[in-house]
């Protein structure tokens, strides 16, 4: 499956952005899907996932502010980000795998190209 992530940009603290991840080649219905991010000098960090039976899980750092969702008709997964903080500045990646995606990014098979989010204070 090929993943295309987009929707990043520059936003002020307290603002919102919605990231999109479109899949081609395969339907997302056959994959576990998640979002990660990587800030400069830091390891890639798990943010949110669809697990078994589409159960959603979030990292503590984004719980209550970020929401993962999907539009099956468009074969697209979204990450709605609200109440953004300067520490949310990072490159955001969507991820997919036929296996359950846990917080260990090294085990994920498919990645989008990343979309940059910058939050100004």
């Amino acid at each position: 499956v090929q993943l295309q992530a987009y929707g990043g940009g520059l936003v002020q603290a307290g603002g919102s952005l919605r990231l999109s991840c479109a899949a081609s080649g395969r339907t997302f219905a056959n994959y576990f899907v998640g979002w990660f991010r990587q800030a400069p000098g830091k390891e890639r960090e798990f943010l949110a996932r669809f697990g078994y039976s589409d159960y959603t899980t979030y990292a503590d750092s984004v719980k209550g502010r970020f929401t993962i969702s999907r539009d099956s008709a468009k074969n697209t997964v979204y990450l709605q980000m609200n109440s953004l903080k300067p520490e949310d500045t990072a490159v955001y990646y969507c991820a997919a795998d036929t296996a359950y995606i846990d917080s260990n990014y090294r085990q994920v098979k498919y990645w989008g190209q990343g979309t940059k989010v910058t939050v100004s204070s």
Side-chain angles (χ1 to χ4, degrees):
V1 63
Q2 291 81 46
L3 306 178
Q4 178 76 27
Y6 55 95
L10 174 64
V11 63
Q12 288 190 329
S16 298
L17 279 176
R18 188 178 78 160
L19 306 183
S20 301
C21 179
S24 60
R26 293 286 189 273
T27 174
F28 264 139
N30 298 323
Y31 293 84
F32 292 95
V33 184
W35 286 95
F36 290 72
R37 69 184 177 191
Q38 189 165 15
K42 294 189 176 181
E43 287 222 321
R44 197 163 294 192
E45 174 191 13
F46 163 77
L47 298 177
R49 71 165 74 90
F50 281 111
Y52 293 99
S53 302
D54 273 357
Y55 185 81
T56 56
T57 308
Y58 298 91
D60 288 343
S61 58
V62 304
K63 197 175 295 182
R65 300 189 298 124
F66 291 11
T67 303
I68 188 171
S69 63
R70 71 165 88 218
D71 185 331
S72 298
K74 295 182 178 180
N75 211 22
T76 300
V77 173
Y78 304 99
L79 186 68
Q80 177 66 43
M81 307 186 295
N82 300 328
S83 303
L84 283 162
K85 306 174 183 179
E87 52 263 44
D88 293 319
T89 295
V91 177
Y92 284 68
Y93 298 89
C94 58
D97 204 314
T98 53
Y100 179 83
I101 293 177
D102 63 17
S103 58
N104 184 356
Y105 69 91
R106 296 177 180 86
Q107 297 180 347
V108 176
K109 190 170 184 179
Y110 301 105
W111 293 96
Q113 83 287 3
T115 183
K116 188 173 182 180
V117 172
T118 303
V119 184
S120 64
S121 56

